[in-house]
Amino acid sequence: MPGDLCPENDRCTLVPQMVTLTFDDAINIGNIDLYAEIFNKQRRNPNGCDIKGTFFVSHHYTNYSAVQNMHRLGHEIAAHSITHNDDESFWSDAGTEDWAREMAGSRLIIDKFSNITDNSVVGLRAPYLRVGGNRQFTMMEEQAFLYDSSITAPLRNPPLWPYTMYFKMPHRCHGNLQNCPTRSHAVWEMVMNELDRREDPTIDEDIAGCAMVDSCSNILSGDQFYNFLTHNFYRHFDQNRAPLGLFFHAAWLKNNPEYLDAFLYWVDEVLESHPEAYFITMTQVIQWIQNPVSVYSAKNYAPWQEKCSPGPRTNCLVANSCKLSTDELGGEAIRMHTCMRCPNKYPWLDDP
């Protein structure tokens, strides 16, 4: 892995610092404006392309017209299940078939109702980050998923690069309830490196890291959040340039304008002062690992220039608003927005 070569020599300085911003759960009227503010088409990577994010979309209450637009803008859409089953143990214990219904089913719904025809929905994240062990990863191989991003690596220096499941995981299975795979699987793991949330990183206090940014419970002010982001950026940048993953639920930023301001200020500062830093999608990180180029060549690196800076939306300016129900949800009436024809029933597990 490129990062492992860094401590002994200066090769690290040639490696771009990749940053992945991810958001979990439904995309809808509650967060579309937040995403438009973050990805405002003014924030550009050093290659001149808009910064990109990865969205792990759960089905219930998702607006598929909005998903279609996110995909059009070059963001990555990935699967986060149909039901987002509240029983966390369900995900740890689910069989291969259950995982397929939830995740391959979710991908079917996304592809059909967001009109995504380029086979780009290749990643998934387990709800509650409850990994499903060998059964989940067997399903991923059978259903041709490229990567998982549900496994948390304990806080460590240097942080980990993404790895494949061909070999033993390079860290312990973190979390007392986790069910990590124990066999070889042809799947990438976009590992969730825990972030260092110490107030003063120079003091060696023993505070556990946090994987989802919104679970870093000691962030109480915008200034604290800015310092936290800056410290973790340099932990990656100065050590081995492992991709920095910042994993969010939209509501955390939406409900805390002070955090959002600090976050946007930090993103702008990184883009302005670091020509080595690229905010890209999970799949774009894997493309780089499989075919690495130096910082100097990154500006012309084709996989990072796809859908570089799309213009305004020209089709489906008013989506179909489908009033639907399904027996599986006890007849609950749900509005589903899509640019495609309305289905007869609300898509669900047995009839995606």
Side-chain angles (χ1 to χ4, degrees), residues 251-271:
W252 189 78
L253 288 171
K254 183 112 180 157
N255 297 340
N256 297 287
E258 195 185 345
Y259 299 170
L260 177 61
D261 288 346
F263 173 62
L264 296 177
Y265 182 86
W266 174 81
V267 172
D268 290 337
E269 186 176 77
V270 168
L271 289 170

Side-chain angles (χ1 to χ4, degrees), residues 5 13-14 99 136 140 189 213 253 261 269-270 281 291 312-313 349:
L5 301 168
T13 56
L14 298 174
W99 276 99
Q136 174 194 334
M140 293 182 68
E189 181 57 44
V213 174
L253 288 171
D261 288 346
E269 186 176 77
V270 168
T281 68
N291 180 21
R313 190 170 194 168
L349 285 175

Side-chain angles (χ1 to χ4, degrees), residues 91-112:
W91 300 101
S92 302
D93 304 335
T96 304
E97 188 54 42
D98 295 320
W99 276 99
R101 289 170 74 206
E102 286 279 6
M103 294 298 180
S106 162
R107 176 170 62 186
L108 264 176
I109 295 171
I110 290 168
D111 285 351
K112 180 171 174 60

Side-chain angles (χ1 to χ4, degrees), residues 174-192:
H174 185 45
N176 54 355
L177 299 170
Q178 280 304 34
N179 177 11
C180 295
T182 55
R183 298 201 302 271
S184 177
H185 299 277
V187 175
W188 280 88
E189 181 57 44
M190 297 300 290
V191 63
M192 302 176 75

Side-chain angles (χ1 to χ4, degrees), residues 232-258:
N232 280 290
F233 177 82
Y234 285 112
R235 268 183 61 232
H236 288 247
F237 186 82
D238 292 337
Q239 291 193 85
N240 64 349
R241 300 268 166 108
L244 169 63
L246 297 173
F247 313 118
F248 295 93
H249 291 93
W252 189 78
L253 288 171
K254 183 112 180 157
N255 297 340
N256 297 287
E258 195 185 345

Side-chain angles (χ1 to χ4, degrees), residues 156-279:
R156 54 176 277 171
N157 290 310
L160 285 166
W161 277 77
Y163 51 84
T164 69
M165 283 294 181
Y166 285 122
F167 309 106
K168 188 169 177 259
M169 286 164 47
H171 59 92
R172 63 186 166 84
C173 188
H174 185 45
N176 54 355
L177 299 170
Q178 280 304 34
N179 177 11
C180 295
T182 55
R183 298 201 302 271
S184 177
H185 299 277
V187 175
W188 280 88
E189 181 57 44
M190 297 300 290
V191 63
M192 302 176 75
N193 282 302
E194 282 194 337
L195 299 161
D196 184 350
R197 60 193 178 116
R198 287 175 300 171
E199 283 286 298
D200 182 355
T202 57
I203 299 173
D204 198 18
E205 53 185 329
D206 199 19
I207 293 186
C210 44
M212 297 293 294
V213 174
D214 33 280
S215 67
C216 304
S217 51
N218 60 332
I219 297 175
L220 300 172
S221 72
D223 287 347
Q224 268 181 317
F225 188 32
Y226 169 81
N227 293 336
F228 162 89
L229 291 168
T230 302
H231 167 55
N232 280 290
F233 177 82
Y234 285 112
R235 268 183 61 232
H236 288 247
F237 186 82
D238 292 337
Q239 291 193 85
N240 64 349
R241 300 268 166 108
L244 169 63
L246 297 173
F247 313 118
F248 295 93
H249 291 93
W252 189 78
L253 288 171
K254 183 112 180 157
N255 297 340
N256 297 287
E258 195 185 345
Y259 299 170
L260 177 61
D261 288 346
F263 173 62
L264 296 177
Y265 182 86
W266 174 81
V267 172
D268 290 337
E269 186 176 77
V270 168
L271 289 170
E272 193 173 329
S273 52
H274 285 289
E276 316 88 346
Y278 285 79
F279 290 76

Side-chain angles (χ1 to χ4, degrees), residues 303-321:
W304 290 3
Q305 291 181 324
E306 280 183 36
K307 301 188 180 173
C308 182
S309 296
R313 190 170 194 168
T314 53
N315 66 343
C316 187
L317 299 178
V318 180
N320 293 319
S321 174

Side-chain angles (χ1 to χ4, degrees), residues 23-28 31 35 54-64 66-67 76-86 91 102-103 105-107 109-110 114 121 123-128 248-250 334 336 346-348:
F23 296 88
D24 290 8
D25 302 336
I27 295 180
N28 55 35
N31 49 36
Y35 298 148
T54 302
F55 294 83
F56 292 92
V57 178
S58 54
H59 169 52
H60 214 175
Y61 306 120
T62 279
N63 176 329
Y64 288 98
V67 174
E76 178 170 3
I77 307 300
H80 192 48
S81 83
I82 291 180
T83 66
H84 205 291
N85 192 320
D86 289 342
W91 300 101
E102 286 279 6
M103 294 298 180
S106 162
R107 176 170 62 186
I109 295 171
I110 290 168
S114 303
V121 182
L124 65 82
R125 177 169 287 158
Y128 310 105
F248 295 93
H249 291 93
I334 300 171
M336 186 176 89
Y346 187 63
W348 205 248

